[in-house]
Amino acid sequence: MRIAVLGAGAIGAYVGAALHRGGAEVHLIARGPHLAALREHGVRVFSPRGNFTAAASATDDPREVGPVDYVFLGLKAHQYAGCGSLISPLLGPDTAVIAAQNGIPWWYFHGLTGPLRDRRIEAVDPGGTVSEVLPVRRAIGCVVYCSTEIESPGVIRHLEGTRFSIGEPSGEVSDRCRAFSDAMVAGGLKCPVESNLRDDIWVKLMGNVAFNPLSALTRATMIEMCGHPGVRGLIAEMMRETVAIAGATGCHPSISIDRRIAGAARVGHHKTSTLQDLEAGKELELEAIIGAVVEIATLTGVPAPTLRNVYAAVDLLARTVTGPRVPVA
């Protein structure tokens, strides 16, 4: 099995190292000092589950790799539309793309029954630019329950979690999903194949939709937000609105709001990825995490005043970091 990891950052390099350890042929696509370290030393993983090094191939030119069986996409969702020149050399006729993203994926309504069947979500697929680069037929969804960070170039610190739930947009438990799951398990990761991955998407999104934008607005860690009575109440209201929106699309997250908040508090003094990006002056991953949720609220007629207000505030903040964006109505 040949697998390319496009965007071999904290999560991508960790997954690539595990797949390589499990026996897959892995090619990491990276750049800069991180790439230089990967080439010289391999991926060095430090984890409570045991440290290891994986000497996977690493390059900044996907043309050196050529078509593979799977592309594990470790990019942020807002980078998808612009990744065509990087991903096209990796795609053969049957290549599948495992998109390990936060929030609502571009394929969300593909194949669903009802009035929103195959509806494009502008927040995550503006003008169809993502679908053009990543055709839905190639997509395998992936919900990441894993926390890692780049400690230094080529060095990945695994903090917690090893589950990467995957699934077809159609709900089919396909051979290509089973084969990828087997490769992940061989590398020491959990990779259940879900017949309804959308429920998993909303379970994780309950946390992301609240904690990520609020952390950027407050500069607070997870436990600090959960421990502040006013912010905790705001988080709960955002989660209630999100659960209602999920229900309007036929999904029912299998976790209570209290339990979801309690789980976040246990993470402790951890900065969300959005806050880390803000502090680094990078573009914020807002559209998939909250913009698309607001758009789906509009499409389904679900009132979401708290989500809309927080989205407006964090959108204005993002403009001060990366310049004008087009907000979702």
Side-chain angles (χ1 to χ4, degrees), residues 14-329:
Y14 176 64
V15 168
L19 288 166
H20 181 273
R21 182 172 64 169
E25 179 187 333
V26 176
H27 300 270
L28 305 175
I29 315 297
R31 61 185 181 181
H34 188 54
L35 172 60
L38 293 174
R39 283 172 164 166
E40 184 173 357
H41 303 293
V43 185
R44 290 177 287 177
V45 175
F46 294 94
S47 169
R49 304 176 71 246
N51 304 333
F52 68 97
T53 298
S57 166
T59 181
D60 59 358
D61 187 356
R63 292 172 298 181
E64 295 178 358
V65 179
V68 295
D69 300 307
Y70 298 90
V71 176
F72 184 89
L73 204 55
L75 303 173
K76 295 290 183 71
H78 57 257
Q79 298 173 316
Y80 287 1
C83 77
S85 61
L86 291 173
I87 200 169
S88 60
L90 305 172
L91 301 178
D94 300 315
T95 303
V97 176
I98 295 95
Q101 68 163 92
N102 286 323
I104 298 293
W106 81 100
W107 51 261
Y108 186 83
F109 285 118
H110 178 71
L112 285 184
T113 58
L116 295 177
R117 179 185 178 92
D118 297 333
R119 176 70 179 247
R120 187 174 70 239
I121 302 173
E122 288 296 324
V124 289
D125 191 11
T129 52
V130 174
S131 295
E132 184 177 353
V133 173
L134 304 172
V136 172
R137 68 178 180 81
R138 294 189 183 275
I140 293 176
C142 179
V143 180
V144 178
Y145 296 95
C146 174
S147 179
T148 60
E149 60 186 20
I150 298 178
E151 190 165 280
S152 61
V155 178
I156 304 301
R157 175 70 61 179
H158 173 230
L159 303 174
E160 63 173 358
T162 59
R163 181 157 67 97
F164 295 77
S165 299
I166 63 172
E168 298 279 359
S170 67
E172 175 192 4
V173 179
S174 64
D175 289 342
R176 67 180 187 174
C177 279
R178 289 194 193 94
F180 185 77
S181 173
D182 289 346
M184 293 280 275
V185 171
L189 303 178
K190 298 175 183 177
C191 190
V193 180
E194 305 288 355
S195 60
N196 187 4
L197 190 70
R198 291 175 179 85
D199 278 352
D200 268 36
I201 288 171
W202 286 103
V203 167
K204 186 172 183 186
L205 187 54
M206 283 172 65
N208 287 149
V209 77
F211 291 111
N212 285 58
L214 289 177
S215 69
L217 293 168
T218 64
R219 309 299 203 274
T221 64
M222 300 289 280
I223 196 168
E224 288 169 342
M225 288 185 282
C226 293
H228 186 283
V231 174
R232 187 184 181 97
L234 183 58
I235 290 166
E237 185 56 34
M238 293 176 74
M239 288 186 179
R240 278 191 284 271
E241 292 179 1
T242 300
V243 170
I245 296 164
T249 73
C251 290
H252 305 283
S254 58
I255 190 170
S256 71
I257 290 171
D258 286 344
R259 185 179 166 197
R260 190 69 179 85
I261 294 175
R266 285 194 295 271
V267 175
H269 287 286
H270 171 72
K271 295 180 179 181
T272 69
S273 59
T274 303
L275 177 54
Q276 292 178 47
D277 286 345
L278 178 67
E279 292 179 339
K282 296 179 180 178
E283 183 175 354
L284 306 187
E285 190 180 24
L286 297 179
E287 297 308 321
I289 287 175
I290 187 167
V293 180
V294 169
E295 183 175 346
I296 295 172
T298 300
L299 292 173
T300 56
V302 175
T306 310
L307 288 170
R308 292 182 188 280
N309 290 338
V310 170
Y311 177 53
V314 77
D315 176 69
L316 178 57
L317 172 65
R319 289 166 183 263
T320 69
V321 178
T322 60
R325 297 162 51 254
V326 180
V328 176

